[in-house]
Amino acid sequence: MKGPGRACPPHYGYSPRTFARAPDFAADTLYVVGGLYGNPLALDEIDRMAALEDQPPRRLFNGDFHWFDAEPRLFASVQRRVLAHVALRGNVETEIAGDDGEAGCGCAYPESVPDDDVERSNAILGRLRGVAAEVPGAREALARLPMHAVAQVGSLRIGIVHGDAWSLAGWRFAHDELHQPAHEEHLQAAFELGAVDGYACSHTCAPALRVLGERFVINNGAAGMANFAGDTSGLLTRIATRPLPPARSRRPRLRPARARRLDRRAAHPASTRRAGASASTPSGRAGSPAAGVVPRADRRRPAVLGRSRARPRSRRLPSVSSAALRRPSRRRSERDAPLCGTGRSRQASA
């Protein structure tokens, strides 16, 4: 039996069919901000990025927006700023709101994550629960948050989750799982059962992209922490029918990315350039929480930010950012059931 931090609680599970519903909201520009991890400086940068848009974007925080904010005043400030927008609960918020310690941090870590890292995450969660208890109404507010959402952006229906299409803490949308050829049938089933064009997620702290025909899964990694070796940038996913506004950064190396059309047969990770100005990671070093999907002129079909190396095709499709290394992973056969604790994580965070 798996212990705290590796176990996947049954109440985390849901079916991809839950996404086959009317959209919860519609937007021309959507920021999906996963893995803020209590970083107020990243929030400041996201505010600055939003101010550069022609029209205010809809912001959705898809879980794990608490983590390093382990002090009541900071915790309250982060929660107030996040809940001013659309928010989902991740495993962190779910376990903060609960009293059962059997799940630990609720991360459902795979075996590839060292036990020391799991224990440290469990300890952080325990401390956060105590901090939240000092903020009146905080835990109750987190308990009321949903686990998933459906957004309409242009003509596309986007399922938004923390983990994957089967579980709050699922790892099927981790990069190694996404790029397993045997996993394609699970992805196709998730698209069909959920009646969506794409899924946006986070949870794994490693950004990823998988494109299957006209459908995609995009994982922004973490908005409040570094995503790549030697780079402190945070990432978010931008899905929009509107062009990316010109970058107005004082750092000349950060510039808007341009997307090319994606080939129908493309099923490999593409390169990504991050756009936007600097933000800070929890360590205080500068980074950039930019970048998801770059829109094209066709206002009916939104797009995701980044540069995609793929062969052109005649029909316009959303182009989706990606970044992460391929890694081997185990295959699981279930299509319509939670799958927690598979895949790999580059860093031990929730």
Side-chain angles (χ1 to χ4, degrees):
M1 182 176 178
K2 294 182 178 180
R6 297 195 189 274
C8 185
H11 63 87
Y12 277 19
Y14 45 80
S15 168
R17 293 184 179 90
T18 193
F19 300 98
R21 64 181 192 254
D24 298 300
F25 62 89
D28 288 332
T29 301
L30 172 65
Y31 287 4
V32 181
V33 186
L36 179 70
Y37 295 114
N39 185 347
L41 300 180
L43 272 175
D44 293 342
E45 178 60 21
I46 293 166
D47 287 344
R48 198 197 73 82
M49 292 173 62
L52 297 177
E53 299 279 355
D54 294 335
Q55 293 188 6
R58 179 67 67 95
R59 284 176 254 183
L60 187 150
F61 292 82
N62 60 324
D64 287 7
F65 47 84
H66 287 303
W67 195 243
F68 294 109
D69 50 340
E71 184 276 323
R73 185 174 179 179
L74 178 57
F75 186 100
S77 174
V78 168
Q79 181 151 316
R80 174 183 54 79
R81 294 176 69 181
V82 167
L83 297 192
H85 306 282
V86 183
L88 307 180
R89 56 186 166 98
N91 53 282
V92 171
E93 291 75 35
T94 298
E95 296 307 319
I96 289 174
D99 295 311
D100 185 358
E102 289 189 4
C105 62
C107 309
Y109 280 129
E111 294 302 322
S112 57
V113 176
D115 289 341
D116 288 348
D117 292 344
V118 177
E119 292 174 7
R120 183 162 51 249
S121 292
N122 292 340
I124 291 173
L125 194 288
R127 180 179 174 184
L128 278 175
R129 187 178 285 153
V131 169
E134 299 182 40
V135 180
R139 295 177 68 196
E140 294 79 5
L142 295 178
R144 291 192 294 268
L145 295 177
M147 292 193 290
H148 41 67
V150 177
Q152 183 84 33
V153 184
S155 64
L156 298 188
R157 286 171 45 83
I158 311 297
I160 305 171
V161 297
H162 177 67
D164 61 27
W166 296 267
S167 173
L168 176 71
W171 288 74
R172 281 183 171 173
F173 290 169
H175 185 275
D176 52 344
E177 282 286 318
L178 283 175
H179 291 283
Q180 281 290 323
H183 189 48
E184 184 172 329
E185 61 179 322
H186 304 307
L187 295 179
Q188 295 288 12
F191 292 131
E192 295 298 332
L193 292 171
V196 296
D197 298 285
Y199 286 98
C201 64
S202 55
H203 183 56
T204 65
C205 295
L209 166 72
R210 180 70 193 273
V211 178
L212 290 173
E214 298 185 8
R215 292 166 167 170
F216 62 89
V217 175
I218 184 168
N219 184 331
N220 76 284
M225 294 198 299
N227 289 263
F228 307 103
D231 188 345
T232 59
S233 299
L235 297 176
L236 62 79
T237 298
R238 179 185 189 270
I239 306 174
T241 62
R242 301 176 181 278
L244 185 72
R248 300 175 184 176
S249 172
R250 289 174 294 180
R251 298 174 66 187
R253 74 179 182 87
L254 297 176
R255 54 189 180 274
R258 298 186 180 184
R260 300 174 182 174
R261 297 173 186 171
L262 292 174
D263 187 272
R264 181 182 210 93
R265 294 157 292 182
H268 56 277
S271 64
T272 301
R273 288 196 180 189
R274 292 163 298 288
S278 64
S280 295
T281 64
S283 65
R285 294 175 294 177
S288 170
V293 192
V294 167
R296 287 186 297 273
D298 187 351
R299 296 289 297 277
R300 296 168 300 174
R301 303 286 292 185
V304 211
L305 180 115
R307 175 167 295 181
S308 298
R309 293 180 296 188
R311 288 171 287 183
R313 53 168 300 186
S314 60
R315 185 177 178 184
R316 294 180 185 272
L317 291 175
S319 71
V320 190
S321 69
S322 69
L325 298 175
R326 291 176 182 262
R327 296 184 178 92
S329 176
R330 296 176 295 178
R331 179 183 179 186
R332 294 292 294 271
S333 60
E334 300 86 348
R335 296 188 187 182
D336 192 19
L339 177 63
C340 294
T342 64
R344 298 177 186 267
S345 174
R346 289 187 307 121
Q347 53 199 84
S349 54

